[in-house]
Amino acid sequence: MDNKTALITGASSGIGKALAIEFAKDNWNLVIVARREQALETLAADLERDYRCKVQVIACDLTRSNAARALYDETRSRNIVVDCLVNNAGRGTFGEWLGQDPGFNEDTIALNVVALTTLSHLYARDMVQRELGYILNIASIAAFVPGPNHAVYHATKAFVLSFSEALATELKGTGVSVTASCPGPTKSEFFERSGSTKVKALQHTPIMDAETVALEAYQAMLKGEPVKVHGLLNKLIVQSPRLLPKGWIAPMVKRLTA
Ligand SMILES: NC(=O)c1ccc[n+]([C@@H]2O[C@H](COP(=O)([O-])OP(=O)(O)OC[C@H]3O[C@@H](n4cnc5c(N)ncnc54)[C@H](OP(=O)(O)O)[C@@H]3O)[C@@H](O)[C@H]2O)c1
């Protein structure tokens, strides 16, 4: 992918960092985005040393209002043509919804939903004009079921999946593909940060490596697959709403994720 550039949000750790490595292996130039600038600078230096790629760093907080527009404007002012947008930055919510800080939930929606939607809009317009582009949105298996104890998180990921599938259909024939990647539990900073390391289901389910998820997501994106669920067990789990009575699903998720 010489001379092609991918912008990856949330590249300072976890799946986003693993994705940046996967793209760099294939010689994509990169724009890596997150709040922790030093982590991004270190990753950029490592990638430029190990692979044939140029990496630019943009540190920003995507929960801020207008952050997506400011990020888009920054790439324009640096004359960067973004051929692939990876909306990976995201965070979880954990605990009974009524007890949560509404501001924290608003920021989660701003990050997981608003920034992703606006970035997709701004970059997809340019991609459609060039008749070439990829959008890879990191959703989750949480997208398939309501999530008591993680209500806002599951709802944001349901948005990401629904939005991505709709966009993939609207953009068919334009040269721009849209892929929603749906990982299950994956090794990263995610559970620590959302305070959900003790969730029951995590003690009993296999946890995938960020590297495996990143490779599969990257390959699905190149093939233009609209939805990629990672891992056999996760493929079964996402079928549960089809197989079980609707009224069973939310209470079952509640028990598993307490
Ligand atoms: N781990 C899992 O089990 C799992 C399962 C399904 C889906 N996912 C999804 O995978 C994606 C990546 O998560 P991860 O598991 O790799 O977790 P992670 O290690 O916590 O990575 C999250 C990334 O998002 C960035 N980020 C967080 N808040 C941000 C903000 N306000 N502005 C800009 N960037 C921000 C973080 O960087 P900074 O802190 O430096 O800003 C970090 O690079 C998320 O969308 C998550 O929902 C994860």
Side-chain angles (χ1 to χ4, degrees):
M1 289 292 178
D2 291 323
N3 302 318
K4 293 267 175 283
T5 299
L7 184 151
I8 304 177
T9 68
S12 59
S13 63
I15 297 169
K17 183 175 177 180
L19 278 164
I21 296 169
E22 213 47 63
F23 276 78
K25 281 183 191 165
D26 233 356
N27 304 126
W28 287 78
N29 294 324
L30 292 170
V31 181
I32 52 176
V33 178
R35 289 167 304 178
R36 285 171 293 178
E37 190 165 12
Q38 192 47 55
L40 294 177
E41 291 291 358
T42 304
L43 177 63
D46 289 349
L47 294 176
E48 288 193 344
R49 185 196 59 221
D50 295 342
Y51 306 105
R52 195 160 43 81
C53 64
K54 293 255 168 304
V55 186
Q56 299 201 44
V57 165
I58 301 180
C60 74
D61 182 346
L62 288 169
T63 62
R64 297 255 164 92
S65 64
N66 282 328
R69 163 62 70 173
L71 174 57
Y72 175 77
D73 289 346
E74 179 64 24
T75 54
R76 296 275 291 195
S77 74
R78 294 189 194 187
N79 292 319
I80 300 169
V81 174
V82 172
D83 304 286
C84 171
L85 168 67
V86 183
N87 283 305
N88 162 78
R91 72 180 193 196
T93 60
F94 178 58
E96 278 182 20
W97 177 73
L98 263 184
Q100 284 173 355
D101 171 11
F104 184 84
N105 281 328
E106 281 173 20
D107 282 352
T108 303
I109 295 166
L111 177 65
N112 295 11
V113 173
V114 179
L116 175 144
T117 307
T118 304
L119 288 174
S120 299
H121 189 123
L122 294 168
Y123 288 109
R125 267 190 332 198
D126 295 347
M127 290 175 189
V128 167
Q129 266 186 5
R130 294 196 305 275
E131 298 179 0
L132 180 76
Y134 302 94
I135 297 177
L136 173 60
N137 290 333
I138 309 302
S140 167
I141 60 166
F144 293 83
V145 290
N149 302 317
H150 309 257
V152 169
Y153 180 67
H154 279 236
T156 62
K157 292 300 179 179
F159 177 95
V160 174
L161 178 61
S162 167
F163 173 69
S164 304
E165 286 190 86
L167 216 60
T169 306
E170 281 197 27
L171 296 184
K172 222 180 186 106
T174 64
V176 180
S177 68
V178 182
T179 300
S181 145
C182 300
T186 304
K187 273 180 216 143
S188 73
E189 298 177 6
F190 180 84
F191 295 103
E192 197 115 353
R193 284 176 162 213
S194 55
S196 55
T197 46
K198 300 231 155 49
V199 159
K200 266 188 220 146
L202 288 180
Q203 325 306 323
H204 308 294
T205 41
I207 302 196
M208 288 183 77
D209 287 325
E211 291 72 20
T212 308
V213 170
L215 174 61
E216 288 186 6
Y218 178 68
Q219 289 172 338
M221 180 201 86
L222 288 183
K223 284 191 223 148
E225 281 180 44
V227 180
K228 175 73 189 174
V229 178
H230 303 273
L232 185 59
L233 183 62
N234 295 326
K235 287 189 175 82
L236 289 173
I237 289 172
V238 302
Q239 294 306 322
S240 57
R242 284 169 219 248
L243 303 173
L244 300 174
K246 191 165 172 52
W248 290 16
I249 301 294
M252 193 178 78
V253 176
K254 185 177 180 198
R255 268 200 308 281
L256 288 170
T257 61

